[in-house]
Structures are given as structure tokens and as C-alpha cells.
Amino acid sequence: MRALLDRHPRKAALLAGLASATGFAPLSLWPVTLLALALLIHLTRSAPDRRCAFTYGWLFGVGQFTLALHWIAHAFTFQDAMPHWLGYGGVILLSLYLALFPALATLGAWWLQRKLPSLQREGSGVVAAPSAASDLTFPLLLAALWIATEYLRATLFTGFAWNPIGIILLPSGAAIAATLVGTYGLGALVILASAALLLIARRQVAAPAALLTPLLLAALWGWLSPAPATPLGAPRIRVVQPNIGQDEKYSVEREFANFRKLTALTGPPRPAPRLIFWPEAAIPAYLDMEPDWRARLAALLGPGDLLLTGADKVYFKPVEQDGILVNKLAGANNSVWIVTPQATIAARYSKAHLVPFGEYLPLRSVLEPIGLSRLVPGDADFWPGPGPQSLTLPATTGRPALSMGVQICYEIVFSGQVVDRANRPAFLFNPSNDAWFGPWGPVQHLAQARLRALEEGLPIIRSTPTGVSAIIDARGRVAHALGLNRAGFLDSGLPPPLPPTLFARVGNWAPFALMLALFALAIAIRPSKS
């Protein structure tokens, strides 16, 4: 190992990145990720110059993102207009870009440690090499910068927040710290714990104890924290997973067979009112324009039931063709509709955070002529909705009025952007279509939803066509789930919300405050001048 580090540090960084990806779902080997990050910290702290510090972080990121996100290539198998091999090239190109963010963190930590005034030799202009006294300074700086760069990754150019490093803590119980410092703050705890492992390998005691304490306290808190019990009188819910694959979803020939499957899994009305959850884009209907479809859905409902289903809202514009004005599809919203037993629409939510190249084509005038069309079938782009909203589910006999937030599919991965804080809902509905993301993508998506439940102190209901559908309590625990590639339904009471967490109150100001505290601590304990 030492020979590899000394002779081939770049290969070691790339291999460490590949190993770190095993900490994400479905493998969830989070101790391996901690060890891989410890290796990155060792390489970066001892890097001879800023170029090496940047390169080690970038190669680590390339390895991690390429393996962890390989499922994206699976989406290309559902678009016959593009060669399937292009998906693997897309994964690599995306990884080359995403790797810039950990590279900026490692470069920044390396540079800042050497620029702290106490590490400079007075009057000589020569920068002192790292010493044992800076063992705590470097990981504190790296942890602070990891918060900053993960936040930038989630926001720049519409953002790609998938697989933040803190998500590996879900199996350990320590992820409950997200209620205080959010997802990006969890990433800082991971960096500190990895640095502690490195110092333990060097047979140090005091510094590792200081770095590990926050993570160990969080894990203890998570293990001892009880799951909120669902009361006996909680509203009844049914979550439907029809196991309709992406190759069947848009088939005109299978439209009625797909609807029959949804109908069978919904089941007959019950005496108690139900909230019935169907997946994203579950039906090929324009519910505001097609009363026959609304009537068909209403026939499935009892007097107190409500159906919450995904379906598109479309917009047309008049276009002149051969001297005749005709309506042409101009755009659409990816929406969730609340259908009542009276065949009316109680409310609608439209997805705000759309997927580039999946739901719309950026720079269409440039990219469409060279053949880079959308991956999802269709002739027009989706348009974004207004952002997080709380919709009112009307009261009925046996069920009070409820406030529901909605985050459609990809939207759930953005920490601090999923709830209308001025009108906090009782739960979140996260309909999704993960049918084209292979075996790794759906379980990683579920992990993201669990983090949002933890952060906000809210239960989350997930309905997907092929899995993983789940009922997640307000502590982020999966109370009930349907695995991949199986049809079924989940019947349960609606889990209760918890009081707003600190993160729910202040949002991403919480990890920013932690970032500043880490910077301040790194400066306060910086080694004395040589």
C-alpha cells in the first residue's frame, strides 16, 4: 500500500474514489467510504503542490461518480433515437464534471492550510511543510470546504445533488444529525471521521477522539431515538406500485391493460376513507381536458376517498399550416392531480425542478440540430412549476383536512428545497418513475427521500411504477416498502409528523453556520509559527 501511495498517488486516488462509491446504496459499505476518504486526506495533505492537491481530489471524484452513477447509462436503453453505448460516455462526461467539486475542496484545504499566517516562516517567503501540529487543521478546513462544494454541486447550472457523501451514514444511525446540520453538514462529519481513522492509523489518540466525537454522539442519538408511532385513528393510505416498465408505459396498445392493473391494485372502496397514491405520470390523460378520464378515476373511489396521481398538463399554441390555424403542442407540466369522488380536481402541483436532457433540452436551438434530443419520449419540453407548495386535501367524514407537500421524482434530492416553510405540510408525497434507472438508481433515490424526511421531520410517501415504493416515517426510517420489479400495494395509517427540526426552521443556513464554525476552529487551533 505504501509503495502504491509513494510511486502512484494518482492511481491510488482513483482507486480510492472507486472504493468510496460502495458506501452508497445498494451496497451501503459505508466503512469502506470512510477508509477511502482517509486515503484521500493523506494524499492531499502531503501533496507537493497545488496541482497535485487538485488532481488527487479530481481523480477521487471521477472514480466515485463513475461507479456510483453508472445506472444513468441504463436510461439510454429506452431511447431508440440514440445509440445505447452513448449512455456510458454520458456517465463518464458527467463524472469528469462532477469531480471538479471534490477537487476544489481538496485544493482549497491544501492552499488554506499553507496560507494561514502561522504556517509561514517570517521574512523567508518559504511555505512550511505540514507538521504533526496541523493534524486537526487540515481536516477541519477540508470538512468546511466539502460543505461549500457539495452545495455548489447542488445549485450550479440547475444542480446535481445526487449522492452527497453524508448519505452513507443512513445505515449507521448517525444520519439523524441531519435534523440539525442538514445533508451537507453530514458530509462534514464524514470527512472528520475519516480523518480520525487516518490519525488512528498513525497511533494517535487525542486528535482522533476529538474528530470522532460528533459522529459517535449522532450515532448514539440515532440508535436511541424512537420512531414516531402511527396512531390508531390516522388517515388510511394505499400506495400502488403496478410494475409497469418503461417500455410499456407509453404503449398505446397497453393503455387499458395498464389501467386495469392500477385499478386492481387500488381495490374496491372501504368504509374508512382512503388516500390513494399512484406513481408519476401514471396515466396518459389530460385530466383538466378529458372528463371521461376523470369519471373513470372517480368510479374507483369511495365517498371519502381521494386519488393522488401523476399525469401531464399540456399547453397548446395556434400555428398556421397551409393557411389554416391549428393547435400545436407548446409545452407541458409534469403534475400531480388530486381527484375527488365527484370527478373534480381538488388541486394540482407541477414539478419545478426539471431534469436537463430528460424533461427539457437546454440550449435547444443549438443542441437539437446536432441530434441531442430528449431521453424521454415527446415532442415538447416540460415547463417548470412555481416551486414547493402545500396542497389542501379536503376533509371528509372520518378524516380531517390535511396539508400535503409534493416533490415529483428528482425534486426530492435537493436538500432545503422541498417544503413551503410558510405553510408546513403534514407529509410529503414523492411520486416517481425510476423504471429506467436499473437496479442502483431506485435505491439511491429512496435514500435521498429518507434524508429529506429526517431533515424536515416529515413522513414521505413514495409511489413508483416498478419500485422502490415506500412509506417513510418522520425519522427517515422505511416503515413499509415494495421492492424492485414487483406489483403490489402498501396499506397503512399515515405516519405523523414531528415538530419542525432545527434544519426545517432555518434550512441550509444550518450547514453554512457549521462551515463557518469549522473555519473558525481551524484558525483558532492552527499550529504556532516555526
mmCIF file of all heavy atoms in Angstrom, residues 153-182:
data_model
loop_
_atom_site.group_PDB
_atom_site.id
_atom_site.type_symbol
_atom_site.label_atom_id
_atom_site.label_comp_id
_atom_site.label_asym_id
_atom_site.label_seq_id
_atom_site.Cartn_x
_atom_site.Cartn_y
_atom_site.Cartn_z
ATOM 1 N N ARG A 153 -22.304 22.057 -5.995
ATOM 2 C CA ARG A 153 -22.675 20.977 -6.932
ATOM 3 C C ARG A 153 -24.193 20.860 -7.056
ATOM 4 O O ARG A 153 -24.714 20.529 -8.130
ATOM 5 C CB ARG A 153 -22.068 19.645 -6.460
ATOM 6 C CG ARG A 153 -22.535 18.448 -7.254
ATOM 7 C CD ARG A 153 -21.613 17.268 -7.088
ATOM 8 N NE ARG A 153 -21.674 16.604 -5.814
ATOM 9 C CZ ARG A 153 -22.507 15.603 -5.513
ATOM 10 N NH1 ARG A 153 -23.389 15.196 -6.416
ATOM 11 N NH2 ARG A 153 -22.450 15.015 -4.341
ATOM 12 N N ALA A 154 -24.904 21.140 -5.968
ATOM 13 C CA ALA A 154 -26.361 21.007 -5.964
ATOM 14 C C ALA A 154 -27.078 22.211 -6.547
ATOM 15 O O ALA A 154 -28.301 22.152 -6.748
ATOM 16 C CB ALA A 154 -26.850 20.773 -4.535
ATOM 17 N N THR A 155 -26.351 23.295 -6.841
ATOM 18 C CA THR A 155 -27.019 24.513 -7.277
ATOM 19 C C THR A 155 -26.523 25.055 -8.621
ATOM 20 O O THR A 155 -27.314 25.643 -9.362
ATOM 21 C CB THR A 155 -26.855 25.616 -6.209
ATOM 22 O OG1 THR A 155 -25.466 25.766 -5.881
ATOM 23 C CG2 THR A 155 -27.624 25.260 -4.945
ATOM 24 N N LEU A 156 -25.257 24.891 -8.950
ATOM 25 C CA LEU A 156 -24.743 25.451 -10.201
ATOM 26 C C LEU A 156 -25.360 24.756 -11.417
ATOM 27 O O LEU A 156 -25.487 23.528 -11.449
ATOM 28 C CB LEU A 156 -23.222 25.312 -10.260
ATOM 29 C CG LEU A 156 -22.403 26.266 -9.389
ATOM 30 C CD1 LEU A 156 -20.921 25.982 -9.582
ATOM 31 C CD2 LEU A 156 -22.712 27.721 -9.719
ATOM 32 N N PHE A 157 -25.744 25.551 -12.418
ATOM 33 C CA PHE A 157 -26.284 25.006 -13.678
ATOM 34 C C PHE A 157 -27.458 24.061 -13.413
ATOM 35 O O PHE A 157 -27.513 22.943 -13.931
ATOM 36 C CB PHE A 157 -25.190 24.296 -14.476
ATOM 37 C CG PHE A 157 -23.944 25.109 -14.656
ATOM 38 C CD1 PHE A 157 -22.741 24.704 -14.095
ATOM 39 C CD2 PHE A 157 -23.974 26.308 -15.356
ATOM 40 C CE1 PHE A 157 -21.585 25.457 -14.245
ATOM 41 C CE2 PHE A 157 -22.826 27.074 -15.514
ATOM 42 C CZ PHE A 157 -21.633 26.653 -14.964
ATOM 43 N N THR A 158 -28.381 24.492 -12.609
ATOM 44 C CA THR A 158 -29.574 23.770 -12.121
ATOM 45 C C THR A 158 -29.244 22.719 -11.073
ATOM 46 O O THR A 158 -30.131 22.245 -10.382
ATOM 47 C CB THR A 158 -30.412 23.108 -13.237
ATOM 48 O OG1 THR A 158 -29.809 21.886 -13.673
ATOM 49 C CG2 THR A 158 -30.598 24.035 -14.419
ATOM 50 N N GLY A 159 -27.978 22.332 -10.937
ATOM 51 C CA GLY A 159 -27.556 21.466 -9.846
ATOM 52 C C GLY A 159 -27.731 19.985 -10.115
ATOM 53 O O GLY A 159 -28.605 19.554 -10.876
ATOM 54 N N PHE A 160 -26.859 19.205 -9.493
ATOM 55 C CA PHE A 160 -26.976 17.744 -9.496
ATOM 56 C C PHE A 160 -26.578 17.277 -8.101
ATOM 57 O O PHE A 160 -25.397 17.103 -7.797
ATOM 58 C CB PHE A 160 -26.087 17.102 -10.567
ATOM 59 C CG PHE A 160 -26.346 15.637 -10.738
ATOM 60 C CD1 PHE A 160 -27.446 15.194 -11.447
ATOM 61 C CD2 PHE A 160 -25.495 14.695 -10.185
ATOM 62 C CE1 PHE A 160 -27.702 13.826 -11.607
ATOM 63 C CE2 PHE A 160 -25.735 13.326 -10.334
ATOM 64 C CZ PHE A 160 -26.843 12.903 -11.051
ATOM 65 N N ALA A 161 -27.574 17.106 -7.247
ATOM 66 C CA ALA A 161 -27.338 16.860 -5.817
ATOM 67 C C ALA A 161 -27.287 15.372 -5.469
ATOM 68 O O ALA A 161 -27.290 15.024 -4.286
ATOM 69 C CB ALA A 161 -28.430 17.539 -4.995
ATOM 70 N N TRP A 162 -27.239 14.508 -6.451
ATOM 71 C CA TRP A 162 -27.321 13.065 -6.207
ATOM 72 C C TRP A 162 -26.105 12.583 -5.399
ATOM 73 O O TRP A 162 -24.981 12.970 -5.630
ATOM 74 C CB TRP A 162 -27.374 12.336 -7.545
ATOM 75 C CG TRP A 162 -28.006 10.982 -7.465
ATOM 76 C CD1 TRP A 162 -27.397 9.810 -7.164
ATOM 77 C CD2 TRP A 162 -29.386 10.673 -7.706
ATOM 78 N NE1 TRP A 162 -28.297 8.776 -7.195
ATOM 79 C CE2 TRP A 162 -29.528 9.268 -7.535
ATOM 80 C CE3 TRP A 162 -30.496 11.409 -8.054
ATOM 81 C CZ2 TRP A 162 -30.748 8.613 -7.700
ATOM 82 C CZ3 TRP A 162 -31.709 10.772 -8.221
ATOM 83 C CH2 TRP A 162 -31.826 9.393 -8.039
ATOM 84 N N ASN A 163 -26.372 11.701 -4.442
ATOM 85 C CA ASN A 163 -25.337 11.035 -3.638
ATOM 86 C C ASN A 163 -24.381 12.005 -2.941
ATOM 87 O O ASN A 163 -23.158 11.916 -3.111
ATOM 88 C CB ASN A 163 -24.524 10.055 -4.498
ATOM 89 C CG ASN A 163 -25.250 8.741 -4.722
ATOM 90 O OD1 ASN A 163 -26.269 8.468 -4.099
ATOM 91 N ND2 ASN A 163 -24.735 7.927 -5.610
ATOM 92 N N PRO A 164 -24.898 12.907 -2.112
ATOM 93 C CA PRO A 164 -23.986 13.648 -1.240
ATOM 94 C C PRO A 164 -23.301 12.662 -0.300
ATOM 95 O O PRO A 164 -23.886 11.639 0.082
ATOM 96 C CB PRO A 164 -24.916 14.597 -0.481
ATOM 97 C CG PRO A 164 -26.244 13.904 -0.497
ATOM 98 C CD PRO A 164 -26.302 13.181 -1.817
ATOM 99 N N ILE A 165 -22.075 12.952 0.104
ATOM 100 C CA ILE A 165 -21.298 11.949 0.838
ATOM 101 C C ILE A 165 -21.941 11.604 2.182
ATOM 102 O O ILE A 165 -21.799 10.480 2.674
ATOM 103 C CB ILE A 165 -19.841 12.444 1.022
ATOM 104 C CG1 ILE A 165 -18.898 11.263 1.308
ATOM 105 C CG2 ILE A 165 -19.750 13.492 2.104
ATOM 106 C CD1 ILE A 165 -18.721 10.324 0.144
ATOM 107 N N GLY A 166 -22.667 12.532 2.789
ATOM 108 C CA GLY A 166 -23.284 12.257 4.083
ATOM 109 C C GLY A 166 -24.357 11.193 4.051
ATOM 110 O O GLY A 166 -24.715 10.629 5.099
ATOM 111 N N ILE A 167 -24.854 10.846 2.866
ATOM 112 C CA ILE A 167 -25.927 9.866 2.758
ATOM 113 C C ILE A 167 -25.451 8.474 3.168
ATOM 114 O O ILE A 167 -26.268 7.617 3.517
ATOM 115 C CB ILE A 167 -26.495 9.863 1.320
ATOM 116 C CG1 ILE A 167 -27.947 9.398 1.311
ATOM 117 C CG2 ILE A 167 -25.660 9.016 0.387
ATOM 118 C CD1 ILE A 167 -28.641 9.633 -0.020
ATOM 119 N N ILE A 168 -24.144 8.236 3.162
ATOM 120 C CA ILE A 168 -23.640 6.919 3.562
ATOM 121 C C ILE A 168 -23.923 6.634 5.026
ATOM 122 O O ILE A 168 -23.863 5.476 5.465
ATOM 123 C CB ILE A 168 -22.126 6.783 3.295
ATOM 124 C CG1 ILE A 168 -21.316 7.676 4.234
ATOM 125 C CG2 ILE A 168 -21.799 7.047 1.841
ATOM 126 C CD1 ILE A 168 -19.844 7.378 4.278
ATOM 127 N N LEU A 169 -24.250 7.657 5.834
ATOM 128 C CA LEU A 169 -24.468 7.470 7.268
ATOM 129 C C LEU A 169 -25.848 6.929 7.601
ATOM 130 O O LEU A 169 -26.125 6.610 8.759
ATOM 131 C CB LEU A 169 -24.252 8.793 8.012
ATOM 132 C CG LEU A 169 -22.835 9.380 7.950
ATOM 133 C CD1 LEU A 169 -22.778 10.687 8.719
ATOM 134 C CD2 LEU A 169 -21.823 8.385 8.503
ATOM 135 N N LEU A 170 -26.734 6.807 6.613
ATOM 136 C CA LEU A 170 -28.087 6.317 6.906
ATOM 137 C C LEU A 170 -28.097 4.974 7.632
ATOM 138 O O LEU A 170 -28.821 4.810 8.612
ATOM 139 C CB LEU A 170 -28.905 6.233 5.611
ATOM 140 C CG LEU A 170 -29.555 7.533 5.130
ATOM 141 C CD1 LEU A 170 -30.157 7.339 3.749
ATOM 142 C CD2 LEU A 170 -30.624 8.001 6.112
ATOM 143 N N PRO A 171 -27.314 3.967 7.210
ATOM 144 C CA PRO A 171 -27.367 2.685 7.937
ATOM 145 C C PRO A 171 -26.797 2.761 9.345
ATOM 146 O O PRO A 171 -27.092 1.893 10.166
ATOM 147 C CB PRO A 171 -26.522 1.748 7.053
ATOM 148 C CG PRO A 171 -26.435 2.411 5.726
ATOM 149 C CD PRO A 171 -26.471 3.865 6.011
ATOM 150 N N SER A 172 -25.982 3.761 9.635
ATOM 151 C CA SER A 172 -25.292 3.823 10.927
ATOM 152 C C SER A 172 -26.125 4.464 12.025
ATOM 153 O O SER A 172 -25.780 4.372 13.201
ATOM 154 C CB SER A 172 -23.992 4.616 10.774
ATOM 155 O OG SER A 172 -24.270 6.000 10.605
ATOM 156 N N GLY A 173 -27.190 5.141 11.658
ATOM 157 C CA GLY A 173 -27.967 5.892 12.642
ATOM 158 C C GLY A 173 -27.491 7.313 12.821
ATOM 159 O O GLY A 173 -28.234 8.165 13.313
ATOM 160 N N ALA A 174 -26.250 7.606 12.441
ATOM 161 C CA ALA A 174 -25.699 8.941 12.644
ATOM 162 C C ALA A 174 -26.322 9.978 11.729
ATOM 163 O O ALA A 174 -26.151 11.182 11.959
ATOM 164 C CB ALA A 174 -24.186 8.914 12.436
ATOM 165 N N ALA A 175 -27.057 9.542 10.715
ATOM 166 C CA ALA A 175 -27.681 10.498 9.801
ATOM 167 C C ALA A 175 -28.718 11.361 10.491
ATOM 168 O O ALA A 175 -29.151 12.377 9.928
ATOM 169 C CB ALA A 175 -28.314 9.762 8.617
ATOM 170 N N ILE A 176 -29.121 11.006 11.708
ATOM 171 C CA ILE A 176 -30.084 11.835 12.429
ATOM 172 C C ILE A 176 -29.531 13.235 12.673
ATOM 173 O O ILE A 176 -30.287 14.184 12.902
ATOM 174 C CB ILE A 176 -30.487 11.160 13.758
ATOM 175 C CG1 ILE A 176 -31.784 11.771 14.289
ATOM 176 C CG2 ILE A 176 -29.352 11.237 14.771
ATOM 177 C CD1 ILE A 176 -32.375 11.024 15.472
ATOM 178 N N ALA A 177 -28.214 13.403 12.601
ATOM 179 C CA ALA A 177 -27.628 14.735 12.736
ATOM 180 C C ALA A 177 -28.105 15.675 11.636
ATOM 181 O O ALA A 177 -27.981 16.900 11.777
ATOM 182 C CB ALA A 177 -26.107 14.646 12.719
ATOM 183 N N ALA A 178 -28.693 15.142 10.564
ATOM 184 C CA ALA A 178 -29.245 15.993 9.510
ATOM 185 C C ALA A 178 -30.378 16.863 10.030
ATOM 186 O O ALA A 178 -30.684 17.902 9.435
ATOM 187 C CB ALA A 178 -29.728 15.145 8.338
ATOM 188 N N THR A 179 -31.015 16.466 11.113
ATOM 189 C CA THR A 179 -32.067 17.306 11.689
ATOM 190 C C THR A 179 -31.497 18.626 12.196
ATOM 191 O O THR A 179 -32.228 19.606 12.340
ATOM 192 C CB THR A 179 -32.774 16.585 12.850
ATOM 193 O OG1 THR A 179 -31.815 16.268 13.869
ATOM 194 C CG2 THR A 179 -33.417 15.292 12.370
ATOM 195 N N LEU A 180 -30.197 18.648 12.477
ATOM 196 C CA LEU A 180 -29.535 19.863 12.955
ATOM 197 C C LEU A 180 -28.769 20.568 11.849
ATOM 198 O O LEU A 180 -28.901 21.781 11.671
ATOM 199 C CB LEU A 180 -28.576 19.524 14.103
ATOM 200 C CG LEU A 180 -29.177 18.883 15.346
ATOM 201 C CD1 LEU A 180 -28.081 18.582 16.356
ATOM 202 C CD2 LEU A 180 -30.238 19.781 15.957
ATOM 203 N N VAL A 181 -27.929 19.823 11.122
ATOM 204 C CA VAL A 181 -26.998 20.453 10.185
ATOM 205 C C VAL A 181 -27.272 20.097 8.732
ATOM 206 O O VAL A 181 -26.520 20.514 7.856
ATOM 207 C CB VAL A 181 -25.541 20.086 10.547
ATOM 208 C CG1 VAL A 181 -25.174 20.635 11.907
ATOM 209 C CG2 VAL A 181 -25.318 18.574 10.494
ATOM 210 N N GLY A 182 -28.332 19.365 8.452
ATOM 211 C CA GLY A 182 -28.687 19.058 7.078
ATOM 212 C C GLY A 182 -27.738 18.080 6.407
ATOM 213 O O GLY A 182 -26.748 17.625 6.983
#
